[in-house]
Amino acid sequence: MKRTALVSFALLFAMIGVLGLSQNKEIPSRVGYIDAQKVIEAHPKYDEIKSLRTQADAELKPIAEQLRALEPKIRDGSATAKERQDFDNLQKVYTQASKKWQDKINAALAPITKEIDATIARVAAQNGFAMILSANVAGQSGLVVYASPDIDVTDLVIRALSAQ
C-alpha cells in the first residue's frame, strides 16, 4: 500500500513535468503541506463550530452515560426485557441526536472549508506551490513519511485568512 502511494506520487510529479514540457510553460514544482485542523481552528468563525460541539456534547453525554450503565447487563445477558428495550431506545435516540448535530456542524463548516480552500489555492499560487497536502492525511496514509518544516504553509494560510 505504501509503495503504491509512493509510486502514485512519483507518477503525479512525472505527469506535472511532462505537462509542463508539452505546454511549453513553467509549472511550479514546489510541494507544501498544512496542518488542516490548525487552519480550521484559527478561522475567525471557528467559535461557532466549538459552540455547536459543546451543545452536542451537552445533549449526547447524558444519553451515552445511560447507555454505558446498561451495557454490562446487555453484554452478559442479565438485562431485563425493560432494560433491553430502554437500551434499544437510547441507542436510537443517541444515533438520531448524533446525526442531527453532525449535520448542523457540517453545515456550519461548509462555508469555512470553502473559504479555507480558496485561501490555500491563493497562497499556493502566490508562493509558487504546485500542490499543498494535508499533513495529517499524508502522514496517516503513509504517502509522506517526512516533510521539511520549510514547506509548511500553515502559518501563511492562517495569516491570509486573518487578513480577509
Side-chain angles (χ1 to χ4, degrees), residues 1-11 141-144:
M1 182 86 174
K2 287 183 180 180
R3 177 173 248 201
T4 304
L6 289 174
V7 170
S8 298
F9 196 61
L11 287 173
S141 70
L143 180 63
V144 176

Side-chain angles (χ1 to χ4, degrees), residues 3-111:
R3 177 173 248 201
T4 304
L6 289 174
V7 170
S8 298
F9 196 61
L11 287 173
L12 179 63
F13 271 111
M15 288 173 42
I16 289 172
V18 169
L19 286 174
L21 292 174
S22 67
Q23 294 177 357
N24 227 6
K25 120 183 180 185
E26 271 203 45
I27 295 179
S29 60
R30 290 179 68 194
V31 175
Y33 66 90
I34 62 162
D35 179 338
Q37 190 61 39
K38 185 176 176 183
V39 172
I40 289 170
E41 290 173 2
H43 192 280
K45 294 181 183 172
Y46 184 70
D47 284 344
E48 179 183 340
I49 305 304
K50 284 191 334 190
S51 174
L52 287 171
R53 287 183 176 155
T54 300
Q55 292 172 48
D57 288 345
E59 181 177 334
L60 294 171
K61 188 177 178 183
I63 301 167
E65 288 172 357
Q66 291 175 36
L67 284 167
R68 275 194 295 278
L70 289 171
E71 193 171 16
K73 287 184 174 184
I74 298 295
R75 255 188 287 144
D76 69 15
S78 66
T80 66
K82 172 143 178 34
E83 288 171 328
R84 283 192 301 275
Q85 183 180 14
D86 288 347
F87 186 81
D88 290 342
N89 289 338
L90 284 168
Q91 278 186 317
K92 288 175 189 170
V93 168
Y94 185 88
T95 300
Q96 290 169 350
S98 182
K99 182 179 179 344
K100 171 189 78 172
W101 284 108
Q102 194 57 55
D103 290 347
K104 284 183 179 186
I105 291 167
N106 288 343
L109 267 173

Side-chain angles (χ1 to χ4, degrees), residues 149-160:
D150 296 339
I151 60 170
D152 182 350
V153 296
T154 303
D155 291 335
L156 287 173
V157 172
I158 290 171
R159 281 195 298 275

